[in-house]
Amino acid sequence: MSDPDRFNLDGIAADKARIEEANRTQRTTRDRSTQKLIALTNLPWLIAIAAWLLWKYL
């Protein structure tokens, strides 16, 4: 973007639109398999807590 367009309202609106588009594409690129993989990182903690609760109360 050139310097004269940088601070006028058209330049600001263009930058805002570019940022919103980047945020929108970032949210849609994370597919379900990635979300499942992220959820599996908590599985060892859940197993450890369940084992500790069983050991403590049984």
Side-chain angles (χ1 to χ4, degrees):
M1 186 180 307
S2 64
D3 286 335
D5 292 339
R6 185 173 179 189
F7 295 109
N8 67 14
L9 294 178
D10 293 334
I12 293 171
D15 283 343
K16 186 182 257 188
R18 193 176 317 129
I19 290 170
E20 288 175 5
E21 179 64 28
N23 285 337
R24 196 174 317 116
T25 57
Q26 178 192 13
R27 275 187 242 122
T28 58
T29 55
R30 184 178 290 173
D31 58 348
R32 290 182 186 261
S33 63
T34 305
Q35 290 175 347
K36 289 179 182 177
L37 192 63
I38 291 170
L40 282 176
T41 59
N42 292 326
L43 191 61
W45 288 104
L46 294 173
I47 292 171
I49 290 170
W52 180 78
L53 287 171
L54 286 172
W55 177 73
K56 183 162 177 84
Y57 292 109
L58 293 180

